[in-house]
Amino acid sequence: MSKPVLCYQLRVHLAGSKPEIWRRILVPAQATLYDLHWILQAAFGWEACHLYQFSVEDGRSFEVIYPHLDDFDFDDPEDCERRAMETAPALTDVLKVGEILMYTYDMGVDWEHIILCESLMIKPLRTRLPVCTDGAMNHAMEDVGGIYGYREIVDIIAHQHEPEYREAVANLQECFGKRILKYDAAAFDPKKSSFVSEQKCGNHTLKITTPV
């Protein structure tokens, strides 16, 4: 008989989102924070074009635990990726059931994702990891000025047919094209959340399977 596979059940929400943008994700227990970075990128629709950091609660604030960006040579992207993989802590070393991590994406703009470890469990039958099992609301967009810029865009789209929003709608289309007006902030289906089958980073292949 094969040994049971353990996984973490994580509930992740995007801080400041109203209504809340959140995902429930099952992640392999042996994952590292480097792996979790890529999983979160896929789950929240990001494009991996900005820096990121993980932090743990330290009293009333958060302390950065990975990656320590001062140690990276950003003139050598392959070396940065290699160091990120080699120095990534195991999830089991930094997160226990009931505890919280914070994943910050796009430093300066600071998309903050609050990660609650809900449980450590046996992987459900006929499930490939990682997998998104629940959540709400569509993912946000890159390069819109963070959560407040995103909320402003959602408001403009919701009122696009009102005369007083005419100029704002025109500016929005100029920046993002006409397709932006079809964005549905409430649209979300966990079955459509897909993960990269193989993420090649330097000499490393991060294997993330598609949910079934």
Side-chain angles (χ1 to χ4, degrees), residues 37-85:
H37 156 65
W38 286 106
I39 291 168
L40 294 174
Q41 285 286 307
F44 282 84
W46 299 123
E47 300 173 12
C49 51
H50 299 288
L51 298 176
Y52 67 94
Q53 285 186 317
F54 285 92
S55 308
V56 294
E57 280 190 304
D58 181 20
R60 296 183 179 180
S61 61
F62 282 85
E63 178 184 357
V64 173
I65 56 171
Y66 166 85
H68 296 286
L69 300 178
D70 291 342
D71 298 334
F72 286 73
D73 178 7
F74 293 104
D75 292 328
D76 188 343
E78 286 194 7
D79 182 65
C80 286
E81 206 64 46
R82 183 168 51 253
R83 289 180 63 83
M85 289 182 285

Side-chain angles (χ1 to χ4, degrees), residues 29-202:
Q30 73 271 23
T32 68
L33 290 188
Y34 179 80
D35 299 326
L36 185 57
H37 156 65
W38 286 106
I39 291 168
L40 294 174
Q41 285 286 307
F44 282 84
W46 299 123
E47 300 173 12
C49 51
H50 299 288
L51 298 176
Y52 67 94
Q53 285 186 317
F54 285 92
S55 308
V56 294
E57 280 190 304
D58 181 20
R60 296 183 179 180
S61 61
F62 282 85
E63 178 184 357
V64 173
I65 56 171
Y66 166 85
H68 296 286
L69 300 178
D70 291 342
D71 298 334
F72 286 73
D73 178 7
F74 293 104
D75 292 328
D76 188 343
E78 286 194 7
D79 182 65
C80 286
E81 206 64 46
R82 183 168 51 253
R83 289 180 63 83
M85 289 182 285
E86 292 174 350
T87 61
L91 198 53
T92 52
D93 292 338
V94 297
L95 186 63
K96 302 294 185 287
V97 174
E99 294 182 345
I100 287 175
L101 274 178
M102 183 165 69
Y103 171 72
T104 303
Y105 174 61
D106 193 355
M107 315 307 293
V109 172
D110 293 348
W111 293 98
E112 295 178 339
H113 306 67
I114 308 302
I115 305 165
L116 170 64
C117 182
E118 294 186 316
S119 64
L120 177 63
M121 56 191 284
I122 295 175
K123 179 181 74 70
L125 294 174
R126 296 180 294 277
T127 300
R128 294 179 183 175
L129 301 176
V131 60
C132 179
T133 62
D134 200 1
M137 306 303 291
N138 205 343
H139 62 77
M141 311 139 185
E142 295 271 7
D143 302 324
V144 295
I147 191 65
Y148 297 107
Y150 166 74
R151 284 160 61 175
E152 183 178 356
I153 287 174
V154 170
D155 179 66
I156 293 170
I157 294 172
H159 297 89
Q160 60 183 280
H161 300 299
E162 298 180 16
E164 58 267 36
Y165 281 79
R166 189 172 301 154
E167 183 178 350
V169 169
N171 291 336
L172 196 61
Q173 289 184 92
E174 185 177 348
C175 291
F176 298 99
K178 292 182 178 181
R179 289 184 59 188
I180 190 68
L181 298 181
K182 296 181 179 181
Y183 174 81
D184 182 358
F188 175 72
D189 181 353
K191 293 180 181 178
K192 294 182 179 179
S193 295
S194 61
F195 294 87
V196 181
S197 58
E198 278 193 357
Q199 177 65 49
K200 285 193 174 295
C201 301

